Short mmCIF file of all heavy atoms in Angstrom, two decimals:
data_model
loop_
_atom_site.label_atom_id
_atom_site.label_comp_id
_atom_site.label_asym_id
_atom_site.label_seq_id
_atom_site.Cartn_x
_atom_site.Cartn_y
_atom_site.Cartn_z
N TYR A 261 -21.74 -0.80 -16.25
CA TYR A 261 -22.51 -0.64 -15.02
C TYR A 261 -21.62 0.04 -13.98
O TYR A 261 -21.19 -0.60 -13.02
CB TYR A 261 -22.99 -1.99 -14.50
CG TYR A 261 -23.95 -2.69 -15.43
CD1 TYR A 261 -23.47 -3.63 -16.36
CD2 TYR A 261 -25.31 -2.41 -15.40
CE1 TYR A 261 -24.35 -4.26 -17.24
CE2 TYR A 261 -26.19 -3.05 -16.26
CZ TYR A 261 -25.70 -3.97 -17.18
OH TYR A 261 -26.56 -4.60 -18.03
N PRO A 262 -21.33 1.34 -14.17
CA PRO A 262 -20.32 2.00 -13.32
C PRO A 262 -20.65 1.96 -11.83
O PRO A 262 -19.75 1.83 -11.00
CB PRO A 262 -20.28 3.44 -13.85
CG PRO A 262 -21.45 3.59 -14.75
CD PRO A 262 -21.86 2.23 -15.20
N HIS A 263 -21.94 2.04 -11.45
CA HIS A 263 -22.27 2.05 -10.02
C HIS A 263 -21.97 0.70 -9.38
O HIS A 263 -21.47 0.63 -8.26
CB HIS A 263 -23.74 2.41 -9.81
CG HIS A 263 -24.07 3.77 -10.33
ND1 HIS A 263 -23.42 4.89 -9.88
CD2 HIS A 263 -24.95 4.18 -11.26
CE1 HIS A 263 -23.90 5.95 -10.52
NE2 HIS A 263 -24.82 5.55 -11.37
N TRP A 264 -22.26 -0.36 -10.12
CA TRP A 264 -21.97 -1.68 -9.57
C TRP A 264 -20.48 -1.98 -9.60
O TRP A 264 -19.96 -2.65 -8.72
CB TRP A 264 -22.79 -2.75 -10.31
CG TRP A 264 -24.16 -2.80 -9.78
CD1 TRP A 264 -24.57 -2.44 -8.52
CD2 TRP A 264 -25.33 -3.23 -10.47
NE1 TRP A 264 -25.93 -2.62 -8.41
CE2 TRP A 264 -26.41 -3.11 -9.57
CE3 TRP A 264 -25.57 -3.72 -11.75
CZ2 TRP A 264 -27.71 -3.45 -9.91
CZ3 TRP A 264 -26.86 -4.06 -12.10
CH2 TRP A 264 -27.93 -3.92 -11.19
N ASP A 265 -19.80 -1.47 -10.63
CA ASP A 265 -18.34 -1.60 -10.67
C ASP A 265 -17.72 -0.99 -9.43
O ASP A 265 -16.84 -1.57 -8.79
CB ASP A 265 -17.76 -0.88 -11.90
CG ASP A 265 -17.65 -1.80 -13.10
OD1 ASP A 265 -17.55 -3.02 -12.90
OD2 ASP A 265 -17.66 -1.29 -14.23
N GLU A 266 -18.19 0.21 -9.12
CA GLU A 266 -17.67 0.94 -7.97
C GLU A 266 -17.93 0.16 -6.68
O GLU A 266 -17.05 0.02 -5.84
CB GLU A 266 -18.39 2.27 -7.88
CG GLU A 266 -17.53 3.48 -7.70
CD GLU A 266 -18.35 4.74 -7.91
OE1 GLU A 266 -18.95 5.21 -6.93
OE2 GLU A 266 -18.43 5.21 -9.07
N ALA A 267 -19.15 -0.33 -6.54
CA ALA A 267 -19.52 -1.09 -5.35
C ALA A 267 -18.69 -2.37 -5.25
O ALA A 267 -18.19 -2.72 -4.17
CB ALA A 267 -21.01 -1.42 -5.38
N LEU A 268 -18.50 -3.04 -6.37
CA LEU A 268 -17.77 -4.30 -6.33
C LEU A 268 -16.30 -4.07 -5.99
O LEU A 268 -15.69 -4.88 -5.30
CB LEU A 268 -17.90 -5.05 -7.66
CG LEU A 268 -17.30 -6.46 -7.66
CD1 LEU A 268 -17.87 -7.32 -6.55
CD2 LEU A 268 -17.49 -7.14 -9.01
N ALA A 269 -15.74 -2.95 -6.42
CA ALA A 269 -14.35 -2.63 -6.07
C ALA A 269 -14.21 -2.52 -4.55
O ALA A 269 -13.22 -2.96 -3.97
CB ALA A 269 -13.90 -1.34 -6.75
N VAL A 270 -15.23 -1.96 -3.91
CA VAL A 270 -15.21 -1.82 -2.45
C VAL A 270 -15.29 -3.20 -1.79
O VAL A 270 -14.53 -3.52 -0.87
CB VAL A 270 -16.38 -0.92 -1.99
CG1 VAL A 270 -16.50 -0.93 -0.47
CG2 VAL A 270 -16.19 0.50 -2.51
N VAL A 271 -16.21 -4.04 -2.28
CA VAL A 271 -16.37 -5.37 -1.69
C VAL A 271 -15.12 -6.23 -1.95
O VAL A 271 -14.71 -7.01 -1.10
CB VAL A 271 -17.64 -6.05 -2.25
CG1 VAL A 271 -17.75 -7.48 -1.76
CG2 VAL A 271 -18.88 -5.26 -1.83
N ASN A 272 -14.51 -6.04 -3.11
CA ASN A 272 -13.29 -6.80 -3.41
C ASN A 272 -12.15 -6.45 -2.46
O ASN A 272 -11.27 -7.28 -2.23
CB ASN A 272 -12.86 -6.58 -4.86
CG ASN A 272 -13.49 -7.61 -5.80
OD1 ASN A 272 -13.77 -8.74 -5.42
ND2 ASN A 272 -13.70 -7.21 -7.05
N ARG A 273 -12.18 -5.25 -1.90
CA ARG A 273 -11.18 -4.90 -0.88
C ARG A 273 -11.33 -5.81 0.32
O ARG A 273 -10.35 -6.28 0.90
CB ARG A 273 -11.35 -3.45 -0.43
CG ARG A 273 -10.92 -2.41 -1.44
CD ARG A 273 -10.37 -1.17 -0.73
NE ARG A 273 -11.34 -0.51 0.12
CZ ARG A 273 -12.11 0.52 -0.28
NH1 ARG A 273 -12.02 0.99 -1.51
NH2 ARG A 273 -12.96 1.07 0.55
N ASP A 274 -12.59 -6.05 0.72
CA ASP A 274 -12.84 -6.93 1.87
C ASP A 274 -12.45 -8.37 1.55
O ASP A 274 -11.94 -9.09 2.41
CB ASP A 274 -14.32 -6.88 2.26
CG ASP A 274 -14.66 -5.60 3.00
OD1 ASP A 274 -13.73 -4.90 3.44
OD2 ASP A 274 -15.86 -5.30 3.15
N LEU A 275 -12.70 -8.78 0.31
CA LEU A 275 -12.31 -10.14 -0.09
C LEU A 275 -10.79 -10.29 -0.02
O LEU A 275 -10.28 -11.27 0.52
CB LEU A 275 -12.83 -10.42 -1.51
CG LEU A 275 -12.66 -11.84 -2.02
CD1 LEU A 275 -13.49 -12.81 -1.19
CD2 LEU A 275 -13.04 -11.95 -3.50
N ALA A 276 -10.08 -9.31 -0.54
CA ALA A 276 -8.61 -9.37 -0.54
C ALA A 276 -8.06 -9.34 0.89
O ALA A 276 -7.06 -9.99 1.19
CB ALA A 276 -8.04 -8.21 -1.35
N ALA A 277 -8.74 -8.59 1.77
CA ALA A 277 -8.25 -8.48 3.15
C ALA A 277 -8.47 -9.76 3.93
O ALA A 277 -7.68 -10.11 4.81
CB ALA A 277 -8.95 -7.31 3.85
N THR A 278 -9.55 -10.49 3.61
CA THR A 278 -9.90 -11.66 4.41
C THR A 278 -9.50 -12.98 3.76
O THR A 278 -9.22 -13.96 4.44
CB THR A 278 -11.42 -11.69 4.68
OG1 THR A 278 -12.11 -11.57 3.43
CG2 THR A 278 -11.82 -10.52 5.58
N LEU A 279 -9.53 -13.03 2.43
CA LEU A 279 -9.16 -14.25 1.70
C LEU A 279 -8.16 -13.87 0.60
O LEU A 279 -8.49 -13.83 -0.58
CB LEU A 279 -10.40 -14.90 1.06
CG LEU A 279 -11.51 -15.36 2.00
CD1 LEU A 279 -12.73 -15.81 1.22
CD2 LEU A 279 -11.03 -16.51 2.89
N PRO A 280 -6.92 -13.60 1.01
CA PRO A 280 -5.95 -13.04 0.05
C PRO A 280 -5.62 -13.97 -1.12
O PRO A 280 -5.10 -13.49 -2.12
CB PRO A 280 -4.71 -12.77 0.92
CG PRO A 280 -4.96 -13.41 2.23
CD PRO A 280 -6.41 -13.67 2.37
N ASP A 281 -5.93 -15.25 -1.00
CA ASP A 281 -5.63 -16.16 -2.12
C ASP A 281 -6.71 -16.18 -3.19
O ASP A 281 -6.52 -16.76 -4.25
CB ASP A 281 -5.44 -17.59 -1.60
CG ASP A 281 -4.23 -17.69 -0.69
OD1 ASP A 281 -3.32 -16.83 -0.82
OD2 ASP A 281 -4.20 -18.61 0.15
N GLN A 282 -7.85 -15.57 -2.92
CA GLN A 282 -8.95 -15.58 -3.89
C GLN A 282 -8.73 -14.55 -4.99
O GLN A 282 -8.23 -13.46 -4.72
CB GLN A 282 -10.28 -15.27 -3.19
CG GLN A 282 -10.86 -16.44 -2.45
CD GLN A 282 -11.14 -17.61 -3.35
OE1 GLN A 282 -11.72 -17.47 -4.41
NE2 GLN A 282 -10.71 -18.79 -2.93
N ARG A 283 -9.16 -14.91 -6.18
CA ARG A 283 -9.21 -13.91 -7.25
C ARG A 283 -10.32 -12.92 -6.91
O ARG A 283 -11.27 -13.26 -6.21
CB ARG A 283 -9.58 -14.57 -8.58
CG ARG A 283 -8.43 -15.30 -9.25
CD ARG A 283 -8.97 -16.05 -10.43
NE ARG A 283 -9.90 -17.11 -10.04
CZ ARG A 283 -10.96 -17.50 -10.75
NH1 ARG A 283 -11.26 -16.89 -11.88
NH2 ARG A 283 -11.72 -18.49 -10.34
N PRO A 284 -10.24 -11.69 -7.45
CA PRO A 284 -11.33 -10.75 -7.22
C PRO A 284 -12.62 -11.21 -7.90
O PRO A 284 -12.57 -11.94 -8.90
CB PRO A 284 -10.83 -9.44 -7.83
CG PRO A 284 -9.56 -9.73 -8.52
CD PRO A 284 -9.13 -11.13 -8.21
N LEU A 285 -13.74 -10.80 -7.36
CA LEU A 285 -15.03 -11.07 -7.98
C LEU A 285 -15.24 -10.14 -9.16
O LEU A 285 -14.67 -9.05 -9.23
CB LEU A 285 -16.14 -10.86 -6.95
CG LEU A 285 -16.21 -11.92 -5.86
CD1 LEU A 285 -16.93 -11.38 -4.63
CD2 LEU A 285 -16.92 -13.17 -6.38
N ARG A 286 -16.08 -10.57 -10.11
CA ARG A 286 -16.38 -9.75 -11.29
C ARG A 286 -17.89 -9.67 -11.47
O ARG A 286 -18.64 -10.48 -10.95
CB ARG A 286 -15.80 -10.43 -12.54
CG ARG A 286 -14.35 -10.77 -12.40
CD ARG A 286 -13.96 -11.79 -13.43
NE ARG A 286 -13.75 -11.13 -14.73
CZ ARG A 286 -13.40 -11.79 -15.83
NH1 ARG A 286 -13.26 -13.09 -15.83
NH2 ARG A 286 -13.20 -11.13 -16.95
N LEU A 287 -18.29 -8.68 -12.25
CA LEU A 287 -19.69 -8.58 -12.65
C LEU A 287 -19.86 -9.39 -13.93
O LEU A 287 -19.11 -9.23 -14.88
CB LEU A 287 -20.08 -7.13 -12.92
CG LEU A 287 -20.03 -6.17 -11.74
CD1 LEU A 287 -20.32 -4.75 -12.22
CD2 LEU A 287 -21.04 -6.57 -10.66
N ILE A 288 -20.86 -10.27 -13.91
CA ILE A 288 -21.13 -11.11 -15.08
C ILE A 288 -22.55 -10.82 -15.58
O ILE A 288 -23.49 -10.83 -14.79
CB ILE A 288 -21.01 -12.61 -14.71
CG1 ILE A 288 -19.64 -12.94 -14.10
CG2 ILE A 288 -21.30 -13.48 -15.94
CD1 ILE A 288 -18.46 -12.75 -15.02
N ALA A 289 -22.67 -10.56 -16.86
CA ALA A 289 -23.98 -10.32 -17.46
C ALA A 289 -24.51 -11.63 -18.02
O ALA A 289 -23.82 -12.32 -18.78
CB ALA A 289 -23.87 -9.27 -18.57
N HIS A 290 -25.72 -11.98 -17.63
CA HIS A 290 -26.35 -13.18 -18.14
C HIS A 290 -27.56 -12.77 -18.98
O HIS A 290 -28.55 -12.28 -18.45
CB HIS A 290 -26.80 -14.08 -16.99
CG HIS A 290 -27.27 -15.42 -17.45
ND1 HIS A 290 -28.50 -15.62 -18.00
CD2 HIS A 290 -26.65 -16.62 -17.46
CE1 HIS A 290 -28.63 -16.90 -18.32
NE2 HIS A 290 -27.53 -17.53 -18.01
N PRO A 291 -27.47 -12.95 -20.29
CA PRO A 291 -28.60 -12.56 -21.14
C PRO A 291 -29.71 -13.57 -20.97
O PRO A 291 -29.75 -14.59 -21.64
CB PRO A 291 -28.01 -12.61 -22.56
CG PRO A 291 -26.65 -13.20 -22.43
CD PRO A 291 -26.40 -13.60 -21.02
N ASP A 292 -30.64 -13.26 -20.06
CA ASP A 292 -31.62 -14.24 -19.63
C ASP A 292 -32.62 -14.60 -20.73
O ASP A 292 -32.80 -15.74 -21.07
CB ASP A 292 -32.34 -13.72 -18.39
CG ASP A 292 -32.66 -14.85 -17.45
OD1 ASP A 292 -32.18 -15.96 -17.69
OD2 ASP A 292 -33.39 -14.61 -16.48
N THR A 293 -33.28 -13.61 -21.24
CA THR A 293 -34.17 -13.84 -22.36
C THR A 293 -33.98 -12.70 -23.35
O THR A 293 -33.35 -11.70 -23.03
CB THR A 293 -35.65 -13.84 -21.94
OG1 THR A 293 -36.02 -12.49 -21.67
CG2 THR A 293 -35.91 -14.70 -20.73
N GLU A 294 -34.54 -12.84 -24.51
CA GLU A 294 -34.35 -11.78 -25.51
C GLU A 294 -35.14 -10.53 -25.15
O GLU A 294 -34.83 -9.44 -25.60
CB GLU A 294 -34.77 -12.30 -26.88
CG GLU A 294 -33.73 -13.25 -27.45
CD GLU A 294 -34.19 -13.87 -28.75
OE1 GLU A 294 -35.17 -13.36 -29.32
OE2 GLU A 294 -33.58 -14.86 -29.17
N ASP A 295 -36.18 -10.69 -24.36
CA ASP A 295 -37.05 -9.54 -24.05
C ASP A 295 -36.51 -8.69 -22.91
O ASP A 295 -36.80 -7.51 -22.83
CB ASP A 295 -38.44 -10.03 -23.65
CG ASP A 295 -39.04 -10.88 -24.74
OD1 ASP A 295 -38.63 -10.70 -25.90
OD2 ASP A 295 -39.89 -11.73 -24.43
N LEU A 296 -35.77 -9.31 -22.04
CA LEU A 296 -35.35 -8.60 -20.83
C LEU A 296 -33.91 -8.16 -20.93
O LEU A 296 -33.13 -8.71 -21.69
CB LEU A 296 -35.49 -9.53 -19.62
CG LEU A 296 -36.90 -9.89 -19.21
CD1 LEU A 296 -36.87 -10.97 -18.14
CD2 LEU A 296 -37.64 -8.67 -18.70
N ASP A 297 -33.57 -7.14 -20.13
CA ASP A 297 -32.17 -6.74 -20.00
C ASP A 297 -31.40 -7.90 -19.38
O ASP A 297 -31.98 -8.77 -18.74
CB ASP A 297 -32.05 -5.52 -19.09
CG ASP A 297 -32.65 -4.29 -19.74
OD1 ASP A 297 -32.76 -4.28 -20.99
OD2 ASP A 297 -33.02 -3.35 -19.02
N ALA A 298 -30.10 -7.85 -19.56
CA ALA A 298 -29.26 -8.89 -18.97
C ALA A 298 -29.39 -8.86 -17.45
O ALA A 298 -29.59 -7.81 -16.84
CB ALA A 298 -27.81 -8.66 -19.36
N GLN A 299 -29.28 -10.04 -16.83
CA GLN A 299 -29.21 -10.15 -15.38
C GLN A 299 -27.74 -10.04 -15.01
O GLN A 299 -26.89 -10.66 -15.65
CB GLN A 299 -29.75 -11.50 -14.92
CG GLN A 299 -31.14 -11.82 -15.42
CD GLN A 299 -32.19 -11.01 -14.71
OE1 GLN A 299 -32.32 -11.07 -13.51
NE2 GLN A 299 -32.93 -10.21 -15.47
N ILE A 300 -27.46 -9.27 -13.96
CA ILE A 300 -26.06 -9.07 -13.56
C ILE A 300 -25.78 -9.85 -12.28
O ILE A 300 -26.49 -9.71 -11.29
CB ILE A 300 -25.75 -7.58 -13.33
CG1 ILE A 300 -26.17 -6.75 -14.54
CG2 ILE A 300 -24.27 -7.38 -13.03
CD1 ILE A 300 -25.54 -7.16 -15.85
N TYR A 301 -24.73 -10.67 -12.33
CA TYR A 301 -24.32 -11.48 -11.19
C TYR A 301 -22.95 -11.04 -10.71
O TYR A 301 -22.15 -10.51 -11.47
CB TYR A 301 -24.25 -12.97 -11.58
CG TYR A 301 -25.60 -13.61 -11.78
CD1 TYR A 301 -26.27 -13.46 -13.00
CD2 TYR A 301 -26.21 -14.36 -10.78
CE1 TYR A 301 -27.52 -14.04 -13.20
CE2 TYR A 301 -27.44 -14.95 -10.97
CZ TYR A 301 -28.11 -14.79 -12.17
OH TYR A 301 -29.33 -15.36 -12.37
N VAL A 302 -22.69 -11.33 -9.44
CA VAL A 302 -21.36 -11.16 -8.88
C VAL A 302 -20.76 -12.56 -8.79
O VAL A 302 -21.30 -13.42 -8.11
CB VAL A 302 -21.42 -10.51 -7.49
CG1 VAL A 302 -20.06 -10.49 -6.83
CG2 VAL A 302 -21.98 -9.09 -7.60
N ALA A 303 -19.67 -12.80 -9.53
CA ALA A 303 -19.15 -14.16 -9.65
C ALA A 303 -17.64 -14.15 -9.87
O ALA A 303 -17.04 -13.11 -10.15
CB ALA A 303 -19.84 -14.87 -10.82
N PHE A 304 -17.05 -15.33 -9.74
CA PHE A 304 -15.63 -15.45 -10.04
C PHE A 304 -15.41 -15.72 -11.52
O PHE A 304 -14.36 -15.41 -12.06
CB PHE A 304 -15.00 -16.60 -9.23
CG PHE A 304 -14.85 -16.28 -7.77
CD1 PHE A 304 -15.69 -16.86 -6.82
CD2 PHE A 304 -13.89 -15.38 -7.34
CE1 PHE A 304 -15.55 -16.56 -5.47
CE2 PHE A 304 -13.75 -15.07 -6.00
CZ PHE A 304 -14.58 -15.66 -5.06
N SER A 305 -16.42 -16.29 -12.19
CA SER A 305 -16.25 -16.65 -13.59
C SER A 305 -17.63 -16.71 -14.25
O SER A 305 -18.62 -17.03 -13.60
CB SER A 305 -15.55 -18.01 -13.67
OG SER A 305 -16.18 -18.85 -14.61
N PRO A 306 -17.70 -16.44 -15.56
CA PRO A 306 -19.00 -16.51 -16.25
C PRO A 306 -19.58 -17.91 -16.26
O PRO A 306 -20.77 -18.10 -16.50
CB PRO A 306 -18.66 -16.06 -17.68
CG PRO A 306 -17.33 -15.41 -17.62
CD PRO A 306 -16.61 -15.98 -16.44
N ARG A 307 -18.76 -18.93 -15.99
CA ARG A 307 -19.26 -20.31 -16.02
C ARG A 307 -19.85 -20.73 -14.69
O ARG A 307 -20.40 -21.82 -14.58
CB ARG A 307 -18.12 -21.26 -16.42
CG ARG A 307 -17.73 -21.12 -17.88
CD ARG A 307 -16.51 -21.96 -18.20
NE ARG A 307 -15.37 -21.58 -17.39
CZ ARG A 307 -14.57 -20.54 -17.67
NH1 ARG A 307 -14.81 -19.80 -18.74
NH2 ARG A 307 -13.56 -20.25 -16.90
N GLU A 308 -19.71 -19.90 -13.68
CA GLU A 308 -20.16 -20.29 -12.33
C GLU A 308 -20.93 -19.16 -11.69
O GLU A 308 -20.35 -18.30 -11.06
CB GLU A 308 -18.94 -20.56 -11.45
CG GLU A 308 -18.63 -22.02 -11.22
CD GLU A 308 -17.48 -22.13 -10.24
OE1 GLU A 308 -16.32 -22.06 -10.66
OE2 GLU A 308 -17.77 -22.25 -9.03
N LEU A 309 -22.24 -19.15 -11.88
CA LEU A 309 -23.05 -18.09 -11.30
C LEU A 309 -23.78 -18.63 -10.07
O LEU A 309 -24.41 -19.68 -10.13
CB LEU A 309 -24.06 -17.57 -12.32
CG LEU A 309 -23.46 -17.05 -13.63
CD1 LEU A 309 -24.56 -16.52 -14.54
CD2 LEU A 309 -22.42 -15.97 -13.36
N HIS A 310 -23.65 -17.91 -8.96
CA HIS A 310 -24.32 -18.32 -7.72
C HIS A 310 -25.27 -17.22 -7.28
O HIS A 310 -25.10 -16.06 -7.64
CB HIS A 310 -23.29 -18.53 -6.61
CG HIS A 310 -22.31 -19.63 -6.88
ND1 HIS A 310 -22.64 -20.95 -6.72
CD2 HIS A 310 -21.03 -19.61 -7.31
CE1 HIS A 310 -21.59 -21.70 -7.03
NE2 HIS A 310 -20.60 -20.91 -7.39
N GLY A 311 -26.22 -17.59 -6.44
CA GLY A 311 -27.09 -16.61 -5.81
C GLY A 311 -28.03 -15.94 -6.80
O GLY A 311 -28.31 -16.46 -7.88
N ASN A 312 -28.50 -14.76 -6.41
CA ASN A 312 -29.45 -14.02 -7.23
C ASN A 312 -28.74 -12.93 -8.02
O ASN A 312 -27.68 -12.47 -7.64
CB ASN A 312 -30.50 -13.36 -6.34
CG ASN A 312 -31.30 -14.40 -5.58
OD1 ASN A 312 -31.75 -15.39 -6.15
ND2 ASN A 312 -31.46 -14.19 -4.29
#
Side-chain angles (χ1 to χ4, degrees):
Y261 296 94
H263 299 302
W264 279 334
D265 269 335
E266 228 168 88
L268 187 55
V270 172
V271 174
N272 270 330
R273 288 212 298 266
D274 284 346
L275 187 65
T278 53
L279 299 173
D281 295 336
Q282 282 300 313
R283 282 173 295 147
L285 289 158
R286 308 162 80 180
L287 295 175
I288 304 296
H290 189 282
D292 215 9
T293 74
E294 285 175 14
D295 303 335
L296 291 171
D297 292 338
Q299 306 286 301
I300 308 302
Y301 288 82
V302 173
F304 287 106
S305 135
R307 289 174 301 278
E308 257 185 275
L309 303 182
H310 297 282
N312 298 314

